[in-house]
Amino acid sequence: MTALAAVRRTVSALALAALAAGALAVPAQAQEEPLPVSVTGPDHVNLSLHPEPGEPGEPREPQIELGLRAPGEPVPDENGVIYPIHQGDYTVTVDASSLAGVAAVDFSRLGGWRGCSVEGLVATCHDYEIYAGADYNDLGGIRLDVTDESAAGDVGTIEVTAAGEGLAFTGHTVDVLVGGPELRMKQLGEPEGFQAGDTFRAPMSFLNVGGLGGKGVVLRVSGTRGISLPSTFRNCWYDPRDPDDLRGWSSALCVFDSEFAGGATYGLSTPFPVRTADFALYDVLSYSFSAVPADQVADLLAQGDYRAGTGPELGLVRLPDADPAGYVQYAETDFPTKNTFDLDLSGERLRARKGQTVSVDVGFANHGPAWLALIRSGGEPISFWVDLPPGTTVTSAPAACRAADWEGAEGDYLCNIDTPILEDASRTFTFGLRVDEVIRNATGRAFFAYTMPNEGNPANDSGQIVLNPRGRH
C-alpha cells in the first residue's frame, strides 16, 4: 500500500469513527439503516466417490469458495485507490457440524492471511473491512473429501452466518451430497478412413460412476468451424456458429427426461451425426452428458440462440457394463486428420538503379483445400523467414516482420501470419529496399524453415526475390 493510500485509509477510518460517535447524539429514528451484506458461495456440492488425484505434496483445490457481496460496485478514486464502504469488526462463522461422518473438512484456506480459528467442524473468522460489490470481499475456500465412513447418499450442510455492528448479514447454506450422479463420457476416435466432407455418426455414451442414479439428462455437443451439426432430432436444440467468428463453435443441446442408475452405462438410440466441411482439418468435436432435471433445461437454452430440431426423437438406451478406463470427464476428438493445405510463398523479380528505393512484395497464399487453425495452440501464428538480396538496405518492413538480429536466426527477417488461415487466404508483405550496389541477379528468398505437417505441396514453400535479373524478366 502506498503512503498516500495509507493516509487516505486512516482518514477514512477516522471519518467513520467520527460519524459513528456523532450518530450517538442523533435520535434513534434518524440513524442510518444497517449495511446489507450477503454471503456468497455455491448452493450445493456433489462430493465424488472418485476424486481426481492432486499434485504430489500440494493441497487439492477447494470445491467451495465463499465471499461477501455488498451494495454497489467498487470504484477507484482519481489515484486508482479503492476504499471500503464499511470499517468495523465483524465475524463469519462456518458451521460444518452436520458433515461429521459424511466428509472430511479442510478449513486451511479459509480467512486468507488472517486465517480462522477452528474448533471441531466449526470455523470462526474475523475481519474489519467490507468493499462494495463482491470482487474484494473474498473469504477463502473449503476443501471436502470422502473418508472411509463416507457412503453414497450421505448428505449434510455447511451453514455460513455473519454478524457485525452496523451490518445486516444474509447467511448462506451449502448442501453436500456424497456420491451423486457423476457422468463420464466415452472417448471417441476418428473413424478409420475418415475424410474431410464425410459425416461422422458418433456413438456417444456415458457411464455414471456416481453411487446414485437420477432423472433427467442433457447432452451438449459442440464443434469448431469445420464441423456442423444437422438439425436432426426434435428433442435437440441447435445453435449454429456465427459465420464471422472463425474461432466460434456450433452447439446442440439434447434433452432426455429419462431415469438412469448408479454405476450404469447409457448410449444414444441412434448415433449422433456430425458433418465435416471439405476444408476441415483437426477441428474439435466436444460432447458431454450432464445430470440436469427437466425444470433446469430452460436456463441452459437461454444461454444461446437455440432452435428446435425437426426430426425424430433421440433416445437413451442402457448398454452393457463398460470398462471405466474408456470413459473420461471431458470427451474431445480432433478430426479429420488426413486433409491437407497448400501454403505458397512467392517473391518478385525487378530492376533498380543504384540509390533507388523499390517496393518488393512477398506473397503468401493458402490454396487449400484445408484451413490451418491451430486450435489447440490458441491461435498461435506461423512464421516464415525472408533473406533480402545482397547490396540492399531495408528502408521499411511490414508490421508483421521484424529484423532477425539474434544469434541463430535463419534469415534477415522473421514474419508472422496469424491463424486461423482460411482455405483461400492470401496476403502481401511489402518491403522497401534501397539499392546500395547494383549486383546482377542479386537473389534473396522467402521461405518456411521447415515443412509443416499436412502440407500437401512443399515445392512452393519458398519464393525467390531477384533484383536486376540477367536477361529479360
Side-chain angles (χ1 to χ4, degrees), residues 314-340:
L314 182 64
L316 281 180
V317 294
R318 185 159 180 172
L319 302 177
D321 291 345
D323 181 1
Y327 286 75
V328 295
Q329 189 170 4
Y330 304 103
E332 291 187 338
T333 305
D334 295 0
F335 74 107
T337 61
K338 304 298 191 295
N339 208 356
T340 60

mmCIF file of all heavy atoms in Angstrom, residues 314-340:
data_model
loop_
_atom_site.group_PDB
_atom_site.id
_atom_site.type_symbol
_atom_site.label_atom_id
_atom_site.label_comp_id
_atom_site.label_asym_id
_atom_site.label_seq_id
_atom_site.Cartn_x
_atom_site.Cartn_y
_atom_site.Cartn_z
ATOM 1 N N LEU A 314 -34.603 -38.430 -30.325
ATOM 2 C CA LEU A 314 -33.406 -39.175 -29.953
ATOM 3 C C LEU A 314 -33.597 -39.722 -28.548
ATOM 4 O O LEU A 314 -34.054 -38.997 -27.656
ATOM 5 C CB LEU A 314 -32.183 -38.262 -30.017
ATOM 6 C CG LEU A 314 -30.822 -38.864 -29.707
ATOM 7 C CD1 LEU A 314 -30.455 -39.934 -30.748
ATOM 8 C CD2 LEU A 314 -29.750 -37.783 -29.658
ATOM 9 N N GLY A 315 -33.262 -40.984 -28.337
ATOM 10 C CA GLY A 315 -33.469 -41.587 -27.032
ATOM 11 C C GLY A 315 -32.177 -42.054 -26.387
ATOM 12 O O GLY A 315 -31.090 -42.010 -26.982
ATOM 13 N N LEU A 316 -32.298 -42.485 -25.122
ATOM 14 C CA LEU A 316 -31.203 -43.100 -24.382
ATOM 15 C C LEU A 316 -31.545 -44.556 -24.138
ATOM 16 O O LEU A 316 -32.687 -44.899 -23.813
ATOM 17 C CB LEU A 316 -30.997 -42.402 -23.032
ATOM 18 C CG LEU A 316 -30.251 -41.077 -22.989
ATOM 19 C CD1 LEU A 316 -30.175 -40.584 -21.551
ATOM 20 C CD2 LEU A 316 -28.850 -41.197 -23.579
ATOM 21 N N VAL A 317 -30.552 -45.431 -24.302
ATOM 22 C CA VAL A 317 -30.756 -46.858 -24.039
ATOM 23 C C VAL A 317 -29.643 -47.333 -23.113
ATOM 24 O O VAL A 317 -28.506 -46.856 -23.182
ATOM 25 C CB VAL A 317 -30.752 -47.676 -25.344
ATOM 26 C CG1 VAL A 317 -31.952 -47.310 -26.202
ATOM 27 C CG2 VAL A 317 -29.463 -47.465 -26.134
ATOM 28 N N ARG A 318 -29.999 -48.266 -22.250
ATOM 29 C CA ARG A 318 -28.980 -48.812 -21.343
ATOM 30 C C ARG A 318 -28.090 -49.774 -22.114
ATOM 31 O O ARG A 318 -28.563 -50.604 -22.903
ATOM 32 C CB ARG A 318 -29.630 -49.504 -20.154
ATOM 33 C CG ARG A 318 -28.606 -49.994 -19.123
ATOM 34 C CD ARG A 318 -29.199 -50.208 -17.768
ATOM 35 N NE ARG A 318 -28.188 -50.664 -16.809
ATOM 36 C CZ ARG A 318 -28.395 -50.780 -15.512
ATOM 37 N NH1 ARG A 318 -29.601 -50.457 -15.004
ATOM 38 N NH2 ARG A 318 -27.438 -51.185 -14.703
ATOM 39 N N LEU A 319 -26.795 -49.681 -21.871
ATOM 40 C CA LEU A 319 -25.809 -50.520 -22.535
ATOM 41 C C LEU A 319 -25.220 -51.514 -21.543
ATOM 42 O O LEU A 319 -25.339 -51.334 -20.319
ATOM 43 C CB LEU A 319 -24.694 -49.656 -23.124
ATOM 44 C CG LEU A 319 -25.106 -48.579 -24.131
ATOM 45 C CD1 LEU A 319 -23.875 -47.769 -24.554
ATOM 46 C CD2 LEU A 319 -25.778 -49.198 -25.342
ATOM 47 N N PRO A 320 -24.560 -52.549 -22.021
ATOM 48 C CA PRO A 320 -23.862 -53.459 -21.096
ATOM 49 C C PRO A 320 -22.821 -52.688 -20.286
ATOM 50 O O PRO A 320 -22.326 -51.644 -20.712
ATOM 51 C CB PRO A 320 -23.208 -54.477 -22.036
ATOM 52 C CG PRO A 320 -24.010 -54.415 -23.301
ATOM 53 C CD PRO A 320 -24.487 -53.000 -23.416
ATOM 54 N N ASP A 321 -22.488 -53.235 -19.135
ATOM 55 C CA ASP A 321 -21.490 -52.591 -18.287
ATOM 56 C C ASP A 321 -20.202 -52.338 -19.078
ATOM 57 O O ASP A 321 -19.769 -53.176 -19.871
ATOM 58 C CB ASP A 321 -21.186 -53.465 -17.067
ATOM 59 C CG ASP A 321 -22.369 -53.520 -16.107
ATOM 60 O OD1 ASP A 321 -23.274 -52.669 -16.252
ATOM 61 O OD2 ASP A 321 -22.392 -54.410 -15.240
ATOM 62 N N ALA A 322 -19.612 -51.168 -18.843
ATOM 63 C CA ALA A 322 -18.448 -50.748 -19.630
ATOM 64 C C ALA A 322 -17.219 -50.637 -18.743
ATOM 65 O O ALA A 322 -17.304 -50.471 -17.516
ATOM 66 C CB ALA A 322 -18.734 -49.408 -20.296
ATOM 67 N N ASP A 323 -16.039 -50.692 -19.375
ATOM 68 C CA ASP A 323 -14.771 -50.516 -18.687
ATOM 69 C C ASP A 323 -14.582 -49.025 -18.407
ATOM 70 O O ASP A 323 -14.537 -48.220 -19.349
ATOM 71 C CB ASP A 323 -13.634 -51.030 -19.561
ATOM 72 C CG ASP A 323 -12.270 -50.896 -18.900
ATOM 73 O OD1 ASP A 323 -12.201 -50.409 -17.748
ATOM 74 O OD2 ASP A 323 -11.274 -51.267 -19.552
ATOM 75 N N PRO A 324 -14.471 -48.611 -17.150
ATOM 76 C CA PRO A 324 -14.306 -47.187 -16.841
ATOM 77 C C PRO A 324 -13.090 -46.553 -17.503
ATOM 78 O O PRO A 324 -13.062 -45.337 -17.707
ATOM 79 C CB PRO A 324 -14.169 -47.169 -15.311
ATOM 80 C CG PRO A 324 -14.809 -48.443 -14.847
ATOM 81 C CD PRO A 324 -14.541 -49.437 -15.935
ATOM 82 N N ALA A 325 -12.091 -47.367 -17.871
ATOM 83 C CA ALA A 325 -10.885 -46.811 -18.483
ATOM 84 C C ALA A 325 -11.183 -46.139 -19.820
ATOM 85 O O ALA A 325 -10.426 -45.280 -20.270
ATOM 86 C CB ALA A 325 -9.829 -47.902 -18.674
ATOM 87 N N GLY A 326 -12.274 -46.510 -20.471
ATOM 88 C CA GLY A 326 -12.621 -45.911 -21.757
ATOM 89 C C GLY A 326 -13.497 -44.688 -21.648
ATOM 90 O O GLY A 326 -13.941 -44.155 -22.679
ATOM 91 N N TYR A 327 -13.738 -44.216 -20.421
ATOM 92 C CA TYR A 327 -14.640 -43.089 -20.203
ATOM 93 C C TYR A 327 -13.896 -41.976 -19.470
ATOM 94 O O TYR A 327 -13.127 -42.234 -18.548
ATOM 95 C CB TYR A 327 -15.872 -43.534 -19.413
ATOM 96 C CG TYR A 327 -16.826 -44.357 -20.267
ATOM 97 C CD1 TYR A 327 -16.535 -45.679 -20.586
ATOM 98 C CD2 TYR A 327 -17.983 -43.800 -20.777
ATOM 99 C CE1 TYR A 327 -17.379 -46.433 -21.386
ATOM 100 C CE2 TYR A 327 -18.844 -44.544 -21.573
ATOM 101 C CZ TYR A 327 -18.532 -45.852 -21.877
ATOM 102 O OH TYR A 327 -19.369 -46.575 -22.690
ATOM 103 N N VAL A 328 -14.129 -40.743 -19.908
ATOM 104 C CA VAL A 328 -13.353 -39.607 -19.419
ATOM 105 C C VAL A 328 -14.293 -38.475 -19.012
ATOM 106 O O VAL A 328 -15.474 -38.444 -19.372
ATOM 107 C CB VAL A 328 -12.379 -39.095 -20.506
ATOM 108 C CG1 VAL A 328 -11.335 -40.139 -20.819
ATOM 109 C CG2 VAL A 328 -13.135 -38.682 -21.767
ATOM 110 N N GLN A 329 -13.736 -37.535 -18.254
ATOM 111 C CA GLN A 329 -14.535 -36.402 -17.804
ATOM 112 C C GLN A 329 -14.811 -35.425 -18.943
ATOM 113 O O GLN A 329 -15.884 -34.828 -19.016
ATOM 114 C CB GLN A 329 -13.818 -35.692 -16.653
ATOM 115 C CG GLN A 329 -14.666 -34.629 -15.972
ATOM 116 C CD GLN A 329 -14.028 -34.128 -14.693
ATOM 117 O OE1 GLN A 329 -12.913 -34.516 -14.345
ATOM 118 N NE2 GLN A 329 -14.721 -33.268 -13.977
ATOM 119 N N TYR A 330 -13.847 -35.248 -19.826
ATOM 120 C CA TYR A 330 -14.010 -34.328 -20.954
ATOM 121 C C TYR A 330 -13.697 -35.092 -22.240
ATOM 122 O O TYR A 330 -12.554 -35.504 -22.464
ATOM 123 C CB TYR A 330 -13.066 -33.130 -20.814
ATOM 124 C CG TYR A 330 -13.228 -32.385 -19.517
ATOM 125 C CD1 TYR A 330 -12.293 -32.550 -18.481
ATOM 126 C CD2 TYR A 330 -14.311 -31.536 -19.300
ATOM 127 C CE1 TYR A 330 -12.443 -31.876 -17.277
ATOM 128 C CE2 TYR A 330 -14.464 -30.866 -18.103
ATOM 129 C CZ TYR A 330 -13.526 -31.041 -17.097
ATOM 130 O OH TYR A 330 -13.683 -30.377 -15.897
ATOM 131 N N ALA A 331 -14.708 -35.269 -23.089
ATOM 132 C CA ALA A 331 -14.553 -36.049 -24.310
ATOM 133 C C ALA A 331 -14.390 -35.107 -25.497
ATOM 134 O O ALA A 331 -15.314 -34.365 -25.843
ATOM 135 C CB ALA A 331 -15.768 -36.952 -24.519
ATOM 136 N N GLU A 332 -13.214 -35.135 -26.123
ATOM 137 C CA GLU A 332 -12.936 -34.314 -27.296
ATOM 138 C C GLU A 332 -12.202 -35.158 -28.330
ATOM 139 O O GLU A 332 -11.365 -35.986 -27.971
ATOM 140 C CB GLU A 332 -12.092 -33.092 -26.935
ATOM 141 C CG GLU A 332 -12.819 -32.066 -26.084
ATOM 142 C CD GLU A 332 -12.013 -30.795 -25.898
ATOM 143 O OE1 GLU A 332 -10.782 -30.855 -26.060
ATOM 144 O OE2 GLU A 332 -12.622 -29.756 -25.598
ATOM 145 N N THR A 333 -12.524 -34.911 -29.584
ATOM 146 C CA THR A 333 -11.892 -35.620 -30.694
ATOM 147 C C THR A 333 -11.458 -34.604 -31.735
ATOM 148 O O THR A 333 -12.248 -33.732 -32.123
ATOM 149 C CB THR A 333 -12.874 -36.621 -31.332
ATOM 150 O OG1 THR A 333 -13.381 -37.503 -30.331
ATOM 151 C CG2 THR A 333 -12.187 -37.431 -32.419
ATOM 152 N N ASP A 334 -10.208 -34.690 -32.194
ATOM 153 C CA ASP A 334 -9.705 -33.811 -33.237
ATOM 154 C C ASP A 334 -9.717 -34.580 -34.564
ATOM 155 O O ASP A 334 -9.042 -35.612 -34.695
ATOM 156 C CB ASP A 334 -8.273 -33.375 -32.929
ATOM 157 C CG ASP A 334 -8.179 -32.522 -31.670
ATOM 158 O OD1 ASP A 334 -9.221 -32.279 -31.040
ATOM 159 O OD2 ASP A 334 -7.063 -32.110 -31.327
ATOM 160 N N PHE A 335 -10.457 -34.075 -35.533
ATOM 161 C CA PHE A 335 -10.558 -34.750 -36.823
ATOM 162 C C PHE A 335 -11.170 -33.767 -37.828
ATOM 163 O O PHE A 335 -11.697 -32.727 -37.417
ATOM 164 C CB PHE A 335 -11.404 -36.025 -36.688
ATOM 165 C CG PHE A 335 -12.888 -35.760 -36.547
ATOM 166 C CD1 PHE A 335 -13.765 -36.030 -37.597
ATOM 167 C CD2 PHE A 335 -13.429 -35.213 -35.392
ATOM 168 C CE1 PHE A 335 -15.125 -35.772 -37.486
ATOM 169 C CE2 PHE A 335 -14.777 -34.953 -35.273
ATOM 170 C CZ PHE A 335 -15.630 -35.229 -36.324
ATOM 171 N N PRO A 336 -11.080 -34.057 -39.129
ATOM 172 C CA PRO A 336 -10.313 -35.129 -39.769
ATOM 173 C C PRO A 336 -8.815 -34.816 -39.764
ATOM 174 O O PRO A 336 -8.429 -33.647 -39.763
ATOM 175 C CB PRO A 336 -10.869 -35.141 -41.197
ATOM 176 C CG PRO A 336 -11.357 -33.757 -41.419
ATOM 177 C CD PRO A 336 -11.835 -33.245 -40.091
ATOM 178 N N THR A 337 -8.012 -35.849 -39.762
ATOM 179 C CA THR A 337 -6.564 -35.665 -39.684
ATOM 180 C C THR A 337 -5.870 -35.845 -41.033
ATOM 181 O O THR A 337 -4.673 -35.561 -41.143
ATOM 182 C CB THR A 337 -5.962 -36.670 -38.689
ATOM 183 O OG1 THR A 337 -6.242 -38.011 -39.144
ATOM 184 C CG2 THR A 337 -6.552 -36.485 -37.299
ATOM 185 N N LYS A 338 -6.597 -36.301 -42.060
ATOM 186 C CA LYS A 338 -5.963 -36.661 -43.333
ATOM 187 C C LYS A 338 -5.993 -35.538 -44.365
ATOM 188 O O LYS A 338 -5.425 -35.680 -45.446
ATOM 189 C CB LYS A 338 -6.652 -37.895 -43.933
ATOM 190 C CG LYS A 338 -6.691 -39.104 -43.011
ATOM 191 C CD LYS A 338 -5.295 -39.590 -42.674
ATOM 192 C CE LYS A 338 -5.341 -40.932 -41.978
ATOM 193 N NZ LYS A 338 -5.997 -40.892 -40.660
ATOM 194 N N ASN A 339 -6.652 -34.428 -44.107
ATOM 195 C CA ASN A 339 -6.749 -33.359 -45.086
ATOM 196 C C ASN A 339 -5.407 -32.635 -45.217
ATOM 197 O O ASN A 339 -4.522 -32.769 -44.358
ATOM 198 C CB ASN A 339 -7.848 -32.375 -44.681
ATOM 199 C CG ASN A 339 -8.466 -31.693 -45.878
ATOM 200 O OD1 ASN A 339 -8.037 -31.883 -47.012
ATOM 201 N ND2 ASN A 339 -9.494 -30.891 -45.634
ATOM 202 N N THR A 340 -5.244 -31.840 -46.281
ATOM 203 C CA THR A 340 -4.004 -31.093 -46.492
ATOM 204 C C THR A 340 -4.317 -29.656 -46.897
ATOM 205 O O THR A 340 -5.385 -29.349 -47.427
ATOM 206 C CB THR A 340 -3.146 -31.725 -47.603
ATOM 207 O OG1 THR A 340 -3.878 -31.724 -48.833
ATOM 208 C CG2 THR A 340 -2.753 -33.140 -47.246
#
